[in-house]
Amino acid sequence: MKKLLQVSLLASAVMVGLSGCKEEQATAPAPAGESAAALTSFEDKSAYAIGLSMGRYIGSTLEKQQELGVSLDNDVILQGVRDGFNDQGRMTDEEIQGALMAYDEHINELIETQAKEQAAATLEEGKSFLEENAKREGVQVTESGLQYEVLSEGDGDKPAAEDVVTVHYVGTLVDGTQFDSSIDRGEPASFPLNQVIPGWTEGVQLMPVGSKYKLYIPADLAYGESGAGTIPGNAVLIFEVELLDIERAEQPEQSEQPETQE
């Protein structure tokens, strides 16, 4: 069972490498004399496939880390692989573990520093955008700093924070990058209005059913410094929202009060 598990883990690593390189494989020509057709035996094909996929996976990972300013010598990496195969390592297991832990910690520190720098730049970009946007005709600003623009006004009821709303929406960053869209998914979204970001909770309560508004949500009314998914930290979010329907929250039943006698 232990050996089967090890093989499964190796196969998983290989498949990760393959899935990340499909597009490159489709466009990159095979070097002369080194195509898969030259590998005739089952063993040779298996060995080459494992080595190639692992090499691509490791290379892709290191390429991303080079963007952080970390550059490792490929020849030294290959020497470590060869020494590992031959069981002739120049480091003890404890030294290997220590070196890898230090490397991982260093990478995480660089990622954190980069994220903070990007968040600071995004914050300034968002402030400038909101300052200019507030000057545009038709843009209104609430006390919280939320900005909104009426694209079309409906004549239905307005929701309360406790209600479930059904909406169509498109979400973008200030540079126009789209990060979410119910329209692209082909169906509207429904959710309790008090369980989303504060900018949504406030903004959608301003809308009568049938309306379409554009909400400009400051970072502190959205995902703040941490961001979310593909949304960077301190990002101003822009949503075009169409309010389709409201489902009123159930009101607690009023208990009967006993009559008092004078």
Side-chain angles (χ1 to χ4, degrees):
M1 178 62 71
K2 184 176 180 181
K3 290 183 178 179
L4 288 176
L5 177 59
Q6 291 173 338
V7 172
S8 298
L9 291 174
L10 175 59
S12 298
V14 170
M15 291 306 296
V16 169
L18 288 174
S19 64
C21 302
K22 284 183 179 178
E23 293 184 2
E24 294 180 6
Q25 286 178 300
T27 57
E34 296 184 16
S35 66
L39 304 170
T40 55
S41 72
F42 170 81
E43 289 79 5
D44 285 348
K45 289 180 180 179
S46 300
Y48 185 76
I50 291 172
L52 184 61
S53 60
M54 289 178 64
R56 284 176 170 165
Y57 176 67
I58 294 172
S60 175
T61 301
L62 295 179
E63 183 178 356
K64 293 177 182 178
Q65 294 178 356
Q66 284 178 352
E67 298 175 2
L68 299 171
V70 176
S71 181
L72 302 183
D73 190 325
N74 289 345
D75 290 337
V76 177
I77 294 174
L78 292 175
Q79 183 60 55
V81 173
R82 285 191 292 268
D83 289 348
F85 275 127
N86 298 324
D87 197 20
Q88 296 178 352
R90 305 177 188 178
M91 303 171 71
T92 65
D93 289 348
E94 291 76 13
E95 289 173 332
I96 293 172
Q97 184 177 6
L100 293 178
M101 289 179 63
Y103 179 71
D104 187 55
E105 184 178 347
H106 181 57
I107 291 296
N108 287 334
E109 289 174 353
L110 293 175
I111 291 173
E112 185 178 350
T113 298
Q114 185 184 69
K116 289 181 178 179
E117 292 174 350
Q118 291 176 344
T122 302
L123 181 62
E124 292 304 314
E125 180 185 26
K127 286 181 178 179
S128 298
F129 172 83
L130 291 173
E131 287 175 2
E132 292 301 315
N133 193 60
K135 301 174 184 177
R136 292 196 305 109
E137 184 177 354
V139 174
Q140 303 182 59
V141 185
T142 70
E143 185 176 349
S144 70
L146 173 71
Q147 298 181 6
Y148 68 96
E149 186 176 1
V150 178
L151 303 181
S152 61
E153 191 74 80
D155 56 6
D157 294 334
K158 294 181 179 180
E162 298 78 16
D163 295 338
V164 174
V165 296
T166 299
V167 298
H168 259 315
Y169 66 92
V170 177
T172 59
L173 304 177
V174 297
D175 64 0
T177 301
Q178 180 177 302
F179 58 83
D180 196 7
S181 171
S182 66
I183 296 174
D184 288 353
R185 290 195 296 273
E187 60 179 344
S190 297
F191 45 79
L193 193 51
N194 60 2
Q195 294 185 18
V196 289
I197 58 176
W200 263 83
T201 304
E202 179 184 356
V204 177
Q205 286 186 84
L206 302 172
M207 302 174 61
V209 171
S211 297
K212 188 173 184 179
Y213 281 23
K214 198 166 187 176
L215 306 178
Y216 305 89
I217 305 178
D220 60 343
L221 299 178
Y223 295 103
E225 186 177 353
S226 60
T230 59
I231 298 173
N234 289 331
V236 170
L237 306 184
I238 303 172
F239 287 96
E240 285 194 10
V241 184
E242 183 180 5
L243 180 56
L244 304 175
D245 196 14
I246 301 171
E247 180 182 340
R248 295 295 184 186
E250 294 184 5
Q251 299 296 325
E253 295 183 2
Q254 297 290 334
S255 58
E256 294 185 3
Q257 299 295 326
E259 294 183 0
T260 59
Q261 295 181 353
E262 296 183 358

